[in-house]
Every structure is written in structure tokens, then in C-alpha cells.
Amino acid sequence: MRVEIWADIACPWCYIGKARFEKGLAGFAHRGEVEIVHRSFELDPEAAPAAGMPVLEMLAQKYGVSREQAEAMEARVAEAAAGEGLGYRSDRMHGNTFDLHRLLHLAKERGVQDALLGALYRANFAEARALGDGDVLTEVAVAAGLDEGDVRRVLADGDAYAEAVRADEREAAELGARSVPFFVIDRRYGISGGQPAEVFRQALERAWEEGSAPAPGEAAAQGGEAAAPGCEGDVCRPGAGAGTGD
């Protein structure tokens, strides 16, 4: 069985959703036969590269709210993260994630993609590290299992894995993914959002029981109509990058 997960490192519900999915997977009897592939999805491709801007400032500007309201938005997401045993800081920076996705494709080739994604989520949300800084990003990637020389070569070459990132994004559109996280099980079921662990476990069991999958491109998303940009409930939509809570 194969599970493909479209997500963005800037998406708080992707961070939370990964933890919930892993809990659901842990309760699945055939978890050892599940292949997990992480796919790229940029919520805010127009975001400034490198240093970016403080996430609370970004929230206030994007949604036309006060600093206090932005802090309240983040507090609701922080509460959800804490419920999964995850750290969450609101003094992090919001910036472009394209280079991070390119490194995730390198990590896929090297067999450490899941480790790198987890490290990037922790560095961003739990540690508020400046992932727009090449040296910081390299340090995180190397600690996750990548070779430093490989990482620096990819970061220096803007074309490296760029098409792989864009191909993932095109495929997400073809599958009808309008928000992330977006989970596709055997190209049969599409689950949108950081659902409870039990929802993931039940979906895995149903897919396993039903057996063979349809042809690629036939997965249908469960839940959620198209909506305005932002993060709410348990999903983030393009144009977002930080949580607004419920």
C-alpha cells in the first residue's frame, strides 16, 4: 500500500497532521507494508526568500488583524499542536519554502525523506530556526542524514530538483487537492486535513480490505470545498502559511 502526502513546511496543520497520521498508522495491523511518499505543495510561492518576515507580522498584514488577534490565532494552533505532544513557537519566520522542497527530493533519493521532513517541521515550528539561512538549513539537513556537500550543491543550483517540485504541485492540482495536508491512499482515497488518528487508521483499513487501486489520477478528496486562502479547522489553503485556528 502506498500513501502519498502533499504538504508544506510552512503549514502548521501539515506538522500536526503528520503526527496524527503516524499515530493512526501505528494502530494499523499492516503498517509494515505501507510505503509513504512525501510530495511538494507550496502554500505561498510568492513569499520572500531567505529571512522572510515574522509570522505574527505576516498574519496581521495578510488578514488585516491586530497583533493581539494574530497571537490569539497562533495560540489556538499551538493548543492543537500541544495535544499531539508537539512544540510550537510563534516567534518563527515566514518565508519561501521552495528550497526546502528541493532538498526533500534529494532526501527521497537518499532514503531519508521522512527524517528530513520531520527535522524541518521541528526546526520551523518547535525551535523557530531560520530555515531561510543556508547554513542553518544545511545543518538541519545534515543532522537528518544528508551529505553536506550534496546539500550545498543543491542549494547553490536553483534548478536542482525544481522540476520535481513543480511536478508534485501539478499532480496535486490534477488530483483535486485544494488544501494541505492532503493524503492519498493507493490513489483510491483522498483525505484532506490533519484529521484525528482514528480517521487515518480506518481509512488505511478500508483501503487494505478493498484491495487493488484504480488507475492513477482517480483519487477523490474527502471533505472541504474550495475556500478563501488561509489556515483554519485542520487545513491550509494556498496563500496561507500560518494558522488561524477555528
Side-chain angles (χ1 to χ4, degrees), residues 93-170:
M93 302 297 288
H94 173 71
N96 192 285
T97 59
F98 192 67
D99 283 348
L100 281 62
H101 285 294
R102 295 196 299 115
L103 285 182
L104 283 166
H105 279 278
L106 168 66
K108 180 182 177 183
E109 287 187 356
R110 301 295 190 268
V112 294
Q113 189 186 45
D114 189 71
L116 178 59
L117 181 60
L120 291 172
Y121 279 143
R122 287 190 299 274
N124 183 40
F125 291 106
E127 301 166 1
R129 300 191 69 183
L131 294 178
D133 182 305
D135 290 334
V136 172
L137 180 55
T138 298
E139 182 181 336
V140 172
V142 170
L146 288 176
D147 175 78
E148 181 175 351
D150 288 344
V151 172
R152 293 194 181 278
R153 278 192 291 273
V154 169
L155 292 178
D157 178 4
D159 291 330
Y161 300 100
E163 178 53 31
V165 174
R166 296 185 181 110
D168 277 355
E169 294 173 337
R170 287 195 298 270

Side-chain angles (χ1 to χ4, degrees), residues 6 37 43 47 96 101 112 149 156 202 208 228 239 241:
W6 274 263
V37 179
L43 284 169
N96 192 285
H101 285 294
V112 294
Q202 291 175 356
W208 182 270

